[in-house]
Amino acid sequence: MCLAEGVIVSCPAPPRLRPAEPLLVFGALLAVLLGLSKGLGLTWDESTYFIFSDTVAAWFHAGPDFSAEAVRRAWAYDPFFNPHPPFFKVLDAMGSALTSGWLVFPLSYRFAHLAFAAGCLSLIYSLIRAKASRVEALAAWAFAILAPRALGDLLLASTDGPVMIAWL
């Protein structure tokens, strides 16, 4: 319902979501996140992710050995040094393998986090866009990510940013 001249009336339907819109939003957002992240140095917890990613990648490339010792060594879970679940660390390994030829360190390791966040934000855009205009959809997720802490977490290879966006 909309308010027009003091009277509640039926709102006009927003223009339809075009199939390419989420892809354009994804590409533009990924490019912006990569550009912003490129200027950031390495943070203290990213090094743990990168070390873990390298051991998992080495384990995979050597031919996965499922012996207890090989898994313990490659997947080295430690509640103090390596406390987070491995999902994003495995994505780091894959992202780094895919992008290390054209992205510099540490951006190649951050690529998977940034792509995941851009994908989640594109999904949010699509869901909002189905009910609202482009401007309203872009504004809604921009307000979600432009809070300083949210944007800062999104630009790093840590679990916090992508998980926060996924919960939206």
Side-chain angles (χ1 to χ4, degrees), residues 17-140:
L17 172 69
R18 295 182 180 163
E21 273 184 72
L23 294 175
L24 291 172
V25 168
F26 172 80
L29 185 58
L30 182 58
V32 167
L33 290 174
L34 283 167
L36 291 173
S37 184
K38 185 177 182 181
L40 295 176
L42 192 64
T43 64
W44 69 273
D45 54 346
E46 284 181 306
S47 60
T48 302
Y49 277 53
F50 301 162
I51 290 168
F52 180 88
S53 297
D54 290 343
T55 62
V56 169
W59 174 79
F60 181 77
H61 289 300
D65 177 2
F66 291 100
S67 69
E69 178 57 27
V71 169
R72 188 195 61 72
R73 199 172 45 251
W75 292 83
Y77 177 79
D78 180 323
F80 298 105
F81 180 67
N82 191 13
H84 296 294
F87 177 69
F88 285 108
K89 298 169 196 169
V90 172
L91 287 182
D92 288 345
M94 292 188 302
S96 177
L98 291 172
T99 63
S100 61
W102 54 279
L103 288 177
V104 298
F105 177 83
L107 207 51
S108 59
Y109 282 92
R110 292 176 179 162
F111 180 80
H113 282 81
L114 300 177
F116 182 86
C120 287
L121 288 166
S122 298
L123 177 61
I124 291 167
Y125 171 84
S126 299
L127 294 171
I128 295 171
R129 180 67 181 84
K131 302 286 183 186
S133 71
R134 283 182 192 95
V135 171
E136 291 168 320
L138 289 171

